[in-house]
Amino acid sequence: MKETFTINPHEAALIRQYGLDPEKLQSCSVRSYSFGERIISERLPNVRLFIITGGKAKVGVTAPNGKNLILCFYISNGMLGEVELFSDAATGSASVTALNDFCCITIPTDRNKAYLLGNPAFTRIAASQLAKKLMRSTEQTVENTLYTAEIRLCRYILAASDNSLFRDIMTDVSYSVGISYRHLYRMISVLCNDGVLEKTNQGYRICDMEQLKKRAGQR
C-alpha cells in the first residue's frame, strides 16, 4: 500500500461530489493498493471512510467454518466504510481486497465524525449508496438461489475480471459460487476446452467475451 497526504484538485472535486468540503476535513490521504492487498479487514479496526477513485475490489465475509463468501465487487466508484461509520462500529464488517490497482481517498472517521454525520448532503448520498448495496445484495441472493452453477461461475468471472484477465483465490471462488473446489476446476476446464477461457501464467484470459456473457445469462 502506498499513501500520500496531498489531495490534488481532481480528488478535491470528487470529495465535493459527496457533499463534503475538503477544507473542513482533517488528515485525508490518497492510498493505492495492488492486487491481493487488503483494504479493510473483517473484525479488525477500521476508522476510515474510503472514496473510490479507480480500480476494482471484492468484498467478502468469513463464515465460522473459515470459508470466505464474496458478497460483491466494486468498480471505479462509490464508498467503503460507510456501514461502519453509520453503525458506529470500530471494526470492519467485511473484508475488502484489491483485484487490481485500486486507488481511493481516505477520510479518518474518528477525526471527522461530527462533520460527516452532521452534513445532510453527505448523509443523503451515503443513504442512497447503502440502498443500492442492499438491492445488489438481494440480487446476489436471487442468483445464488435460482441460477445454475455455470451461470453463477460465469457471472463471477465477468465481475472479477480486469481487462479480460480473471485471477482470484480459487477457494474463495468455489465458496462464493457454491460448488466444490474440484467441480470448480472441472467447469473452468470446460470453459477452456470450449475456447471461452485460456489459462496463462497470470490467470485465465477471456478469449470469447460474447460466449462468456451468453453463458452468464447476459445479452
Side-chain angles (χ1 to χ4, degrees):
M1 186 268 290
K2 296 180 180 179
E3 184 173 26
T4 177
F5 290 89
T6 301
I7 305 296
N8 65 37
H10 172 73
E11 292 156 349
L14 182 59
I15 291 174
R16 291 189 183 93
Q17 290 180 16
Y18 286 83
L20 300 171
D21 183 351
E23 300 298 326
K24 295 182 179 180
L25 293 169
Q26 300 181 42
S27 304
C28 294
S29 66
V30 177
R31 289 185 176 183
S32 60
Y33 298 82
S34 301
F35 172 79
E37 286 192 298
R38 279 288 174 89
I39 302 161
I40 299 175
S41 294
E42 184 181 4
R43 292 192 292 273
L44 291 182
N46 177 57
V47 289
R48 290 182 180 273
L49 180 71
F50 300 81
I51 297 177
I52 302 169
T53 60
K56 183 182 292 187
K58 64 180 181 179
V59 181
V61 294
T62 304
N65 60 7
K67 295 182 178 180
N68 189 36
L69 176 65
I70 305 305
L71 300 178
C72 61
F73 300 89
Y74 291 86
I75 306 173
S76 299
N77 56 54
M79 288 189 294
L80 297 170
E82 73 272 37
V83 172
E84 290 80 1
L85 171 65
F86 286 102
S87 63
D88 201 27
T91 59
S93 59
S95 292
V96 183
T97 307
L99 288 173
N100 58 9
D101 293 335
F102 185 88
C103 301
C104 56
I105 302 165
T106 76
I107 302 173
T109 52
D110 52 350
R111 299 184 182 184
N112 297 284
K113 190 171 185 178
Y115 174 59
L116 292 171
L117 297 182
N119 186 316
F122 168 74
T123 54
R124 283 196 299 270
I125 294 170
S128 175
Q129 293 208 1
L130 285 170
K132 291 177 181 178
K133 290 179 181 179
L134 177 60
M135 291 172 64
R136 285 201 299 267
S137 177
T138 301
E139 292 171 358
Q140 183 75 21
T141 300
V142 171
E143 289 184 13
N144 290 338
T145 304
L146 302 179
Y147 290 172
T148 66
E150 181 184 51
I151 292 177
R152 296 198 303 272
L153 174 59
C154 291
R155 283 177 173 256
Y156 188 106
I157 293 172
L158 285 170
S161 63
D162 176 43
N163 291 324
S164 296
L165 180 67
F166 170 66
R167 55 176 179 169
D168 204 338
I169 301 172
M170 289 304 169
T171 51
D172 289 356
V173 179
S174 66
Y175 297 152
S176 299
V177 175
I179 57 179
S180 69
Y181 191 75
R182 181 177 299 178
H183 187 40
L184 169 65
Y185 272 101
R186 284 200 297 265
M187 294 180 67
I188 289 179
S189 294
V190 170
L191 292 173
C192 289
N193 292 335
D194 291 346
V196 179
L197 300 178
E198 178 187 15
K199 187 175 182 179
T200 70
N201 292 332
Q202 292 75 38
Y204 289 92
R205 177 73 57 186
I206 300 175
C207 302
D208 192 336
M209 183 65 74
E210 291 304 315
Q211 181 61 217
L212 182 61
K213 289 180 178 180
K214 182 178 180 180
R215 296 190 183 203
Q218 300 181 7
R219 294 181 179 180

CSV table of all heavy atoms in Angstrom, one decimal, residues 113-168:
chain,number,residue,atom,x,y,z
A,113,LYS,N,-15.9,12.6,12.3
A,113,LYS,CA,-17.2,12.0,12.5
A,113,LYS,C,-18.3,13.1,12.7
A,113,LYS,O,-19.4,13.0,12.1
A,113,LYS,CB,-17.2,11.1,13.7
A,113,LYS,CG,-18.5,10.2,13.9
A,113,LYS,CD,-18.3,9.2,14.9
A,113,LYS,CE,-19.5,8.3,15.0
A,113,LYS,NZ,-19.3,7.2,16.0
A,114,ALA,N,-18.1,14.1,13.5
A,114,ALA,CA,-19.1,15.1,13.7
A,114,ALA,C,-19.5,15.8,12.4
A,114,ALA,O,-20.7,16.0,12.2
A,114,ALA,CB,-18.6,16.1,14.8
A,115,TYR,N,-18.5,16.1,11.6
A,115,TYR,CA,-18.7,16.8,10.4
A,115,TYR,C,-19.5,15.9,9.4
A,115,TYR,O,-20.4,16.3,8.7
A,115,TYR,CB,-17.4,17.3,9.8
A,115,TYR,CG,-17.6,17.9,8.4
A,115,TYR,CD1,-18.4,19.0,8.2
A,115,TYR,CD2,-16.9,17.4,7.3
A,115,TYR,CE1,-18.6,19.6,6.9
A,115,TYR,CE2,-17.1,17.9,6.0
A,115,TYR,CZ,-17.9,19.0,5.8
A,115,TYR,OH,-18.1,19.5,4.6
A,116,LEU,N,-19.1,14.7,9.3
A,116,LEU,CA,-19.7,13.7,8.4
A,116,LEU,C,-21.2,13.5,8.7
A,116,LEU,O,-22.0,13.6,7.9
A,116,LEU,CB,-18.9,12.4,8.4
A,116,LEU,CG,-17.5,12.4,7.8
A,116,LEU,CD1,-16.8,11.1,8.1
A,116,LEU,CD2,-17.5,12.7,6.3
A,117,LEU,N,-21.4,13.2,10.0
A,117,LEU,CA,-22.8,12.8,10.4
A,117,LEU,C,-23.7,14.0,10.5
A,117,LEU,O,-24.9,13.9,10.4
A,117,LEU,CB,-22.8,12.1,11.7
A,117,LEU,CG,-22.1,10.7,11.7
A,117,LEU,CD1,-22.2,10.1,13.1
A,117,LEU,CD2,-22.6,9.8,10.6
A,118,GLY,N,-23.1,15.2,10.6
A,118,GLY,CA,-23.9,16.4,10.7
A,118,GLY,C,-24.1,17.1,9.4
A,118,GLY,O,-24.6,18.3,9.3
A,119,ASN,N,-23.7,16.4,8.3
A,119,ASN,CA,-23.8,17.0,6.9
A,119,ASN,C,-24.9,16.4,6.2
A,119,ASN,O,-24.8,15.2,5.7
A,119,ASN,CB,-22.4,16.8,6.2
A,119,ASN,CG,-22.4,17.5,4.8
A,119,ASN,OD1,-23.3,17.4,4.1
A,119,ASN,ND2,-21.2,18.1,4.5
A,120,PRO,N,-26.1,17.0,6.0
A,120,PRO,CA,-27.2,16.4,5.4
A,120,PRO,C,-27.0,16.0,3.9
A,120,PRO,O,-27.5,14.9,3.5
A,120,PRO,CB,-28.3,17.5,5.4
A,120,PRO,CG,-27.9,18.4,6.5
A,120,PRO,CD,-26.4,18.4,6.5
A,121,ALA,N,-26.2,16.7,3.2
A,121,ALA,CA,-25.9,16.4,1.8
A,121,ALA,C,-25.1,15.0,1.7
A,121,ALA,O,-25.5,14.2,0.9
A,121,ALA,CB,-25.1,17.5,1.1
A,122,PHE,N,-24.1,14.9,2.6
A,122,PHE,CA,-23.4,13.7,2.6
A,122,PHE,C,-24.2,12.5,3.1
A,122,PHE,O,-24.1,11.4,2.5
A,122,PHE,CB,-22.1,13.8,3.5
A,122,PHE,CG,-21.5,12.5,3.8
A,122,PHE,CD1,-20.7,11.9,2.9
A,122,PHE,CD2,-21.6,11.9,5.1
A,122,PHE,CE1,-20.1,10.7,3.2
A,122,PHE,CE2,-21.0,10.7,5.4
A,122,PHE,CZ,-20.2,10.1,4.4
A,123,THR,N,-25.0,12.7,4.1
A,123,THR,CA,-25.8,11.6,4.6
A,123,THR,C,-26.8,11.1,3.6
A,123,THR,O,-27.1,9.9,3.5
A,123,THR,CB,-26.5,11.9,6.0
A,123,THR,OG1,-27.2,13.1,5.8
A,123,THR,CG2,-25.4,12.2,7.1
A,124,ARG,N,-27.4,12.0,2.8
A,124,ARG,CA,-28.3,11.6,1.8
A,124,ARG,C,-27.6,10.8,0.7
A,124,ARG,O,-28.2,9.7,0.3
A,124,ARG,CB,-29.0,12.8,1.1
A,124,ARG,CG,-30.1,13.5,1.9
A,124,ARG,CD,-30.9,14.5,1.1
A,124,ARG,NE,-30.1,15.5,0.5
A,124,ARG,CZ,-29.8,16.7,1.1
A,124,ARG,NH1,-30.4,16.9,2.3
A,124,ARG,NH2,-29.1,17.6,0.5
A,125,ILE,N,-26.5,11.2,0.3
A,125,ILE,CA,-25.7,10.4,-0.7
A,125,ILE,C,-25.3,9.1,-0.2
A,125,ILE,O,-25.4,8.0,-0.9
A,125,ILE,CB,-24.5,11.2,-1.2
A,125,ILE,CG1,-24.9,12.5,-1.9
A,125,ILE,CG2,-23.6,10.4,-2.1
A,125,ILE,CD1,-23.8,13.5,-2.2
A,126,ALA,N,-24.8,9.0,1.1
A,126,ALA,CA,-24.4,7.8,1.7
A,126,ALA,C,-25.6,6.8,1.8
A,126,ALA,O,-25.5,5.6,1.6
A,126,ALA,CB,-23.8,8.0,3.1
A,127,ALA,N,-26.8,7.4,2.2
A,127,ALA,CA,-28.0,6.6,2.3
A,127,ALA,C,-28.4,6.0,1.0
A,127,ALA,O,-28.8,4.8,0.9
A,127,ALA,CB,-29.2,7.4,2.9
A,128,SER,N,-28.3,6.8,-0.1
A,128,SER,CA,-28.6,6.3,-1.4
A,128,SER,C,-27.7,5.1,-1.8
A,128,SER,O,-28.1,4.1,-2.4
A,128,SER,CB,-28.5,7.4,-2.4
A,128,SER,OG,-28.7,7.0,-3.8
A,129,GLN,N,-26.4,5.3,-1.5
A,129,GLN,CA,-25.4,4.2,-1.9
A,129,GLN,C,-25.7,2.9,-1.0
A,129,GLN,O,-25.6,1.8,-1.5
A,129,GLN,CB,-24.0,4.7,-1.7
A,129,GLN,CG,-23.6,5.8,-2.6
A,129,GLN,CD,-22.1,5.8,-2.9
A,129,GLN,OE1,-21.4,5.0,-2.4
A,129,GLN,NE2,-21.7,6.8,-3.8
A,130,LEU,N,-26.0,3.1,0.2
A,130,LEU,CA,-26.3,1.9,1.1
A,130,LEU,C,-27.6,1.2,0.5
A,130,LEU,O,-27.6,0.0,0.6
A,130,LEU,CB,-26.6,2.4,2.5
A,130,LEU,CG,-25.3,2.7,3.3
A,130,LEU,CD1,-25.7,3.4,4.6
A,130,LEU,CD2,-24.4,1.5,3.5
A,131,ALA,N,-28.6,2.0,0.1
A,131,ALA,CA,-29.8,1.4,-0.5
A,131,ALA,C,-29.4,0.6,-1.8
A,131,ALA,O,-29.9,-0.6,-2.0
A,131,ALA,CB,-30.8,2.4,-0.8
A,132,LYS,N,-28.5,1.1,-2.6
A,132,LYS,CA,-28.1,0.4,-3.8
A,132,LYS,C,-27.4,-0.9,-3.4
A,132,LYS,O,-27.5,-1.9,-4.1
A,132,LYS,CB,-27.3,1.3,-4.7
A,132,LYS,CG,-28.0,2.4,-5.3
A,132,LYS,CD,-27.1,3.3,-6.1
A,132,LYS,CE,-27.9,4.5,-6.7
A,132,LYS,NZ,-27.0,5.4,-7.5
A,133,LYS,N,-26.6,-0.8,-2.4
A,133,LYS,CA,-25.8,-2.0,-2.0
A,133,LYS,C,-26.8,-3.1,-1.5
A,133,LYS,O,-26.6,-4.3,-1.7
A,133,LYS,CB,-24.8,-1.7,-0.9
A,133,LYS,CG,-23.6,-0.9,-1.4
A,133,LYS,CD,-22.7,-0.5,-0.3
A,133,LYS,CE,-21.5,0.3,-0.8
A,133,LYS,NZ,-20.6,0.7,0.3
A,134,LEU,N,-27.9,-2.7,-0.8
A,134,LEU,CA,-28.9,-3.6,-0.3
A,134,LEU,C,-29.6,-4.3,-1.5
A,134,LEU,O,-29.8,-5.5,-1.5
A,134,LEU,CB,-29.9,-2.9,0.6
A,134,LEU,CG,-31.0,-3.7,1.1
A,134,LEU,CD1,-30.5,-4.9,2.0
A,134,LEU,CD2,-32.0,-2.9,1.9
A,135,MET,N,-29.9,-3.5,-2.5
A,135,MET,CA,-30.5,-4.0,-3.7
A,135,MET,C,-29.6,-5.0,-4.4
A,135,MET,O,-30.0,-6.1,-4.8
A,135,MET,CB,-30.9,-2.9,-4.6
A,135,MET,CG,-32.0,-2.0,-4.1
A,135,MET,SD,-32.3,-0.5,-5.2
A,135,MET,CE,-32.8,-1.3,-6.7
A,136,ARG,N,-28.3,-4.7,-4.5
A,136,ARG,CA,-27.3,-5.7,-5.1
A,136,ARG,C,-27.3,-6.9,-4.3
A,136,ARG,O,-27.1,-8.0,-4.8
A,136,ARG,CB,-26.0,-5.0,-5.2
A,136,ARG,CG,-25.8,-4.0,-6.3
A,136,ARG,CD,-24.4,-3.8,-6.7
A,136,ARG,NE,-23.6,-3.3,-5.6
A,136,ARG,CZ,-23.4,-2.0,-5.4
A,136,ARG,NH1,-23.9,-1.1,-6.1
A,136,ARG,NH2,-22.6,-1.6,-4.3
A,137,SER,N,-27.3,-6.8,-2.9
A,137,SER,CA,-27.3,-8.0,-2.1
A,137,SER,C,-28.5,-8.9,-2.3
A,137,SER,O,-28.4,-10.1,-2.3
A,137,SER,CB,-27.2,-7.6,-0.6
A,137,SER,OG,-27.3,-8.7,0.3
A,138,THR,N,-29.7,-8.3,-2.5
A,138,THR,CA,-30.9,-9.0,-2.8
A,138,THR,C,-30.7,-9.8,-4.2
A,138,THR,O,-31.1,-10.9,-4.3
A,138,THR,CB,-32.1,-8.1,-2.9
A,138,THR,OG1,-32.2,-7.4,-1.6
A,138,THR,CG2,-33.4,-8.9,-3.2
A,139,GLU,N,-30.2,-9.1,-5.2
A,139,GLU,CA,-30.0,-9.7,-6.5
A,139,GLU,C,-29.0,-10.9,-6.4
A,139,GLU,O,-29.2,-11.9,-7.0
A,139,GLU,CB,-29.4,-8.6,-7.4
A,139,GLU,CG,-30.4,-7.6,-7.8
A,139,GLU,CD,-29.8,-6.4,-8.6
A,139,GLU,OE1,-28.6,-6.5,-8.8
A,139,GLU,OE2,-30.5,-5.5,-9.0
A,140,GLN,N,-28.0,-10.7,-5.5
A,140,GLN,CA,-27.0,-11.8,-5.3
A,140,GLN,C,-27.6,-13.0,-4.7
A,140,GLN,O,-27.4,-14.1,-5.1
A,140,GLN,CB,-25.8,-11.3,-4.4
A,140,GLN,CG,-24.7,-12.3,-4.2
A,140,GLN,CD,-23.8,-12.4,-5.4
A,140,GLN,OE1,-23.8,-11.5,-6.3
A,140,GLN,NE2,-23.1,-13.5,-5.5
A,141,THR,N,-28.6,-12.8,-3.8
A,141,THR,CA,-29.3,-13.9,-3.1
A,141,THR,C,-30.1,-14.6,-4.2
A,141,THR,O,-30.2,-15.9,-4.2
A,141,THR,CB,-30.1,-13.4,-2.0
A,141,THR,OG1,-29.3,-12.7,-1.0
A,141,THR,CG2,-30.9,-14.5,-1.3
A,142,VAL,N,-30.8,-13.9,-5.0
A,142,VAL,CA,-31.6,-14.5,-6.1
A,142,VAL,C,-30.7,-15.3,-7.0
A,142,VAL,O,-31.0,-16.5,-7.4
A,142,VAL,CB,-32.3,-13.4,-6.9
A,142,VAL,CG1,-33.0,-14.0,-8.1
A,142,VAL,CG2,-33.4,-12.7,-6.0
A,143,GLU,N,-29.5,-14.8,-7.4
A,143,GLU,CA,-28.6,-15.5,-8.3
A,143,GLU,C,-28.2,-16.8,-7.6
A,143,GLU,O,-28.2,-17.9,-8.3
A,143,GLU,CB,-27.4,-14.6,-8.6
A,143,GLU,CG,-27.7,-13.5,-9.5
A,143,GLU,CD,-26.4,-12.7,-9.9
A,143,GLU,OE1,-25.3,-13.3,-9.6
A,143,GLU,OE2,-26.5,-11.6,-10.4
A,144,ASN,N,-27.8,-16.8,-6.4
A,144,ASN,CA,-27.3,-18.0,-5.7
A,144,ASN,C,-28.3,-19.0,-5.5
A,144,ASN,O,-28.1,-20.2,-5.4
A,144,ASN,CB,-26.7,-17.6,-4.3
A,144,ASN,CG,-25.4,-16.8,-4.5
A,144,ASN,OD1,-24.7,-16.9,-5.5
A,144,ASN,ND2,-25.0,-16.0,-3.5
A,145,THR,N,-29.6,-18.6,-5.4
A,145,THR,CA,-30.7,-19.5,-5.2
A,145,THR,C,-31.3,-20.1,-6.5
A,145,THR,O,-31.6,-21.3,-6.5
A,145,THR,CB,-31.8,-18.8,-4.4
A,145,THR,OG1,-31.3,-18.2,-3.2
A,145,THR,CG2,-33.0,-19.7,-4.1
A,146,LEU,N,-31.4,-19.3,-7.5
A,146,LEU,CA,-32.1,-19.7,-8.7
A,146,LEU,C,-31.3,-20.1,-9.9
A,146,LEU,O,-31.7,-20.8,-10.8
A,146,LEU,CB,-33.1,-18.6,-9.1
A,146,LEU,CG,-34.2,-18.2,-8.0
A,146,LEU,CD1,-35.1,-17.1,-8.5
A,146,LEU,CD2,-35.0,-19.5,-7.6
A,147,TYR,N,-30.1,-19.5,-10.0
A,147,TYR,CA,-29.2,-19.7,-11.2
A,147,TYR,C,-28.4,-21.0,-11.1
A,147,TYR,O,-28.1,-21.5,-10.0
A,147,TYR,CB,-28.3,-18.6,-11.4
A,147,TYR,CG,-29.0,-17.3,-11.8
A,147,TYR,CD1,-28.3,-16.1,-11.9
A,147,TYR,CD2,-30.3,-17.3,-12.1
A,147,TYR,CE1,-28.9,-14.9,-12.3
A,147,TYR,CE2,-31.0,-16.1,-12.5
A,147,TYR,CZ,-30.2,-14.9,-12.6
A,147,TYR,OH,-30.9,-13.8,-13.0
A,148,THR,N,-28.1,-21.6,-12.2
A,148,THR,CA,-27.3,-22.8,-12.3
A,148,THR,C,-25.8,-22.5,-11.9
A,148,THR,O,-25.4,-21.3,-11.9
A,148,THR,CB,-27.3,-23.4,-13.7
A,148,THR,OG1,-26.6,-22.5,-14.6
A,148,THR,CG2,-28.7,-23.7,-14.1
A,149,ALA,N,-25.0,-23.5,-11.6
A,149,ALA,CA,-23.7,-23.3,-11.2
A,149,ALA,C,-22.9,-22.6,-12.3
A,149,ALA,O,-22.0,-21.8,-12.1
A,149,ALA,CB,-23.0,-24.6,-10.8
A,150,GLU,N,-23.2,-23.0,-13.6
A,150,GLU,CA,-22.4,-22.4,-14.7
A,150,GLU,C,-22.7,-21.0,-14.8
A,150,GLU,O,-21.8,-20.2,-15.0
A,150,GLU,CB,-22.8,-23.1,-16.0
A,150,GLU,CG,-22.0,-22.5,-17.2
A,150,GLU,CD,-22.5,-23.1,-18.5
A,150,GLU,OE1,-23.7,-23.2,-18.8
A,150,GLU,OE2,-21.6,-23.6,-19.3
A,151,ILE,N,-24.0,-20.6,-14.7
A,151,ILE,CA,-24.3,-19.1,-14.7
A,151,ILE,C,-23.6,-18.4,-13.6
A,151,ILE,O,-23.1,-17.3,-13.8
A,151,ILE,CB,-25.8,-19.0,-14.7
A,151,ILE,CG1,-26.5,-19.5,-16.0
A,151,ILE,CG2,-26.2,-17.5,-14.5
A,151,ILE,CD1,-28.0,-19.4,-16.0
A,152,ARG,N,-23.7,-18.9,-12.4
A,152,ARG,CA,-23.0,-18.2,-11.2
A,152,ARG,C,-21.5,-18.1,-11.5
A,152,ARG,O,-21.0,-17.0,-11.2
A,152,ARG,CB,-23.3,-19.0,-10.0
A,152,ARG,CG,-24.8,-19.1,-9.6
A,152,ARG,CD,-24.9,-19.5,-8.1
A,152,ARG,NE,-24.3,-20.7,-7.7
A,152,ARG,CZ,-24.9,-21.9,-7.8
A,152,ARG,NH1,-26.2,-22.0,-8.3
A,152,ARG,NH2,-24.3,-23.0,-7.5
A,153,LEU,N,-20.9,-19.1,-12.0
A,153,LEU,CA,-19.4,-19.0,-12.2
A,153,LEU,C,-19.1,-18.0,-13.3
A,153,LEU,O,-18.2,-17.2,-13.1
A,153,LEU,CB,-18.9,-20.4,-12.6
A,153,LEU,CG,-17.4,-20.4,-13.0
A,153,LEU,CD1,-16.5,-19.9,-11.9
A,153,LEU,CD2,-17.0,-21.8,-13.4
A,154,CYS,N,-19.9,-18.0,-14.4
A,154,CYS,CA,-19.6,-17.1,-15.5
A,154,CYS,C,-19.8,-15.7,-15.0
A,154,CYS,O,-19.1,-14.7,-15.4
A,154,CYS,CB,-20.4,-17.4,-16.7
A,154,CYS,SG,-19.9,-19.0,-17.5
A,155,ARG,N,-20.9,-15.4,-14.2
A,155,ARG,CA,-21.1,-14.1,-13.7
A,155,ARG,C,-20.0,-13.7,-12.8
A,155,ARG,O,-19.6,-12.5,-12.8
A,155,ARG,CB,-22.5,-14.1,-13.0
A,155,ARG,CG,-23.7,-14.0,-13.9
A,155,ARG,CD,-25.0,-14.1,-13.1
A,155,ARG,NE,-26.1,-13.9,-14.0
A,155,ARG,CZ,-26.8,-12.8,-14.1
A,155,ARG,NH1,-26.5,-11.7,-13.4
A,155,ARG,NH2,-27.8,-12.6,-15.0
A,156,TYR,N,-19.5,-14.6,-12.0
A,156,TYR,CA,-18.4,-14.3,-11.1
A,156,TYR,C,-17.2,-13.9,-11.9
A,156,TYR,O,-16.5,-12.9,-11.6
A,156,TYR,CB,-18.1,-15.5,-10.2
A,156,TYR,CG,-17.1,-15.2,-9.1
A,156,TYR,CD1,-17.5,-15.1,-7.8
A,156,TYR,CD2,-15.7,-15.1,-9.3
A,156,TYR,CE1,-16.6,-14.9,-6.7
A,156,TYR,CE2,-14.8,-14.9,-8.3
A,156,TYR,CZ,-15.3,-14.8,-7.0
A,156,TYR,OH,-14.4,-14.5,-6.0
A,157,ILE,N,-16.9,-14.6,-12.9
A,157,ILE,CA,-15.7,-14.3,-13.7
A,157,ILE,C,-15.8,-13.0,-14.4
A,157,ILE,O,-14.9,-12.2,-14.4
A,157,ILE,CB,-15.5,-15.4,-14.8
A,157,ILE,CG1,-15.1,-16.8,-14.1
A,157,ILE,CG2,-14.4,-15.0,-15.8
A,157,ILE,CD1,-15.1,-17.9,-15.1
A,158,LEU,N,-17.0,-12.7,-14.9
A,158,LEU,CA,-17.2,-11.4,-15.5
A,158,LEU,C,-17.0,-10.2,-14.5
A,158,LEU,O,-16.4,-9.2,-14.8
A,158,LEU,CB,-18.6,-11.3,-16.1
A,158,LEU,CG,-18.8,-12.1,-17.4
A,158,LEU,CD1,-20.3,-12.1,-17.8
A,158,LEU,CD2,-18.1,-11.4,-18.6
A,159,ALA,N,-17.5,-10.4,-13.3
A,159,ALA,CA,-17.4,-9.4,-12.3
A,159,ALA,C,-16.0,-9.2,-11.8
A,159,ALA,O,-15.6,-8.0,-11.5
A,159,ALA,CB,-18.4,-9.7,-11.1
A,160,ALA,N,-15.3,-10.3,-11.7
A,160,ALA,CA,-13.9,-10.2,-11.1
A,160,ALA,C,-12.8,-9.9,-12.1
A,160,ALA,O,-11.7,-9.6,-11.8
A,160,ALA,CB,-13.6,-11.5,-10.4
A,161,SER,N,-13.1,-10.0,-13.4
A,161,SER,CA,-12.1,-9.9,-14.4
A,161,SER,C,-11.6,-8.4,-14.6
A,161,SER,O,-12.4,-7.5,-14.3
A,161,SER,CB,-12.6,-10.4,-15.8
A,161,SER,OG,-13.7,-9.7,-16.2
A,162,ASP,N,-10.4,-8.3,-15.0
A,162,ASP,CA,-9.8,-7.0,-15.3
A,162,ASP,C,-9.1,-7.0,-16.6
A,162,ASP,O,-8.1,-7.8,-16.8
A,162,ASP,CB,-8.9,-6.6,-14.1
A,162,ASP,CG,-8.1,-5.3,-14.4
A,162,ASP,OD1,-8.8,-4.3,-14.8
A,162,ASP,OD2,-6.9,-5.2,-14.2
A,163,ASN,N,-9.6,-6.2,-17.6
A,163,ASN,CA,-9.0,-6.2,-18.9
A,163,ASN,C,-9.0,-7.6,-19.5
A,163,ASN,O,-7.9,-8.0,-20.0
A,163,ASN,CB,-7.6,-5.6,-18.9
A,163,ASN,CG,-7.6,-4.1,-18.6
A,163,ASN,OD1,-8.5,-3.4,-19.1
A,163,ASN,ND2,-6.7,-3.6,-17.9
A,164,SER,N,-10.1,-8.3,-19.3
A,164,SER,CA,-10.2,-9.7,-19.9
A,164,SER,C,-9.3,-10.7,-19.2
A,164,SER,O,-9.1,-11.8,-19.8
A,164,SER,CB,-10.0,-9.7,-21.4
A,164,SER,OG,-11.0,-8.9,-22.0
A,165,LEU,N,-8.8,-10.4,-18.0
A,165,LEU,CA,-8.0,-11.3,-17.3
A,165,LEU,C,-8.7,-11.6,-15.9
A,165,LEU,O,-9.0,-10.7,-15.2
A,165,LEU,CB,-6.6,-10.8,-17.0
A,165,LEU,CG,-5.6,-11.7,-16.2
A,165,LEU,CD1,-5.3,-13.0,-17.1
A,165,LEU,CD2,-4.4,-11.0,-15.8
A,166,PHE,N,-8.9,-12.9,-15.7
A,166,PHE,CA,-9.5,-13.4,-14.4
A,166,PHE,C,-8.5,-14.1,-13.6
A,166,PHE,O,-7.9,-15.1,-14.0
A,166,PHE,CB,-10.7,-14.3,-14.7
A,166,PHE,CG,-11.2,-15.0,-13.5
A,166,PHE,CD1,-11.8,-14.3,-12.5
A,166,PHE,CD2,-11.1,-16.4,-13.3
A,166,PHE,CE1,-12.3,-14.9,-11.4
A,166,PHE,CE2,-11.6,-17.0,-12.2
A,166,PHE,CZ,-12.2,-16.3,-11.2
A,167,ARG,N,-8.3,-13.6,-12.4
A,167,ARG,CA,-7.4,-14.2,-11.4
A,167,ARG,C,-8.0,-14.0,-10.0
A,167,ARG,O,-8.4,-12.9,-9.7
A,167,ARG,CB,-6.0,-13.7,-11.5
A,167,ARG,CG,-5.8,-12.2,-11.4
A,167,ARG,CD,-4.4,-11.8,-11.4
A,167,ARG,NE,-4.2,-10.3,-11.3
A,167,ARG,CZ,-3.0,-9.7,-11.1
A,167,ARG,NH1,-1.9,-10.4,-10.9
A,167,ARG,NH2,-2.9,-8.4,-11.0
A,168,ASP,N,-8.0,-15.0,-9.2
A,168,ASP,CA,-8.6,-14.9,-7.9
A,168,ASP,C,-8.1,-16.1,-7.1
A,168,ASP,O,-7.5,-17.0,-7.6
A,168,ASP,CB,-10.1,-14.8,-8.0
A,168,ASP,CG,-10.7,-14.1,-6.8
A,168,ASP,OD1,-10.1,-14.1,-5.7
A,168,ASP,OD2,-11.9,-13.7,-6.9
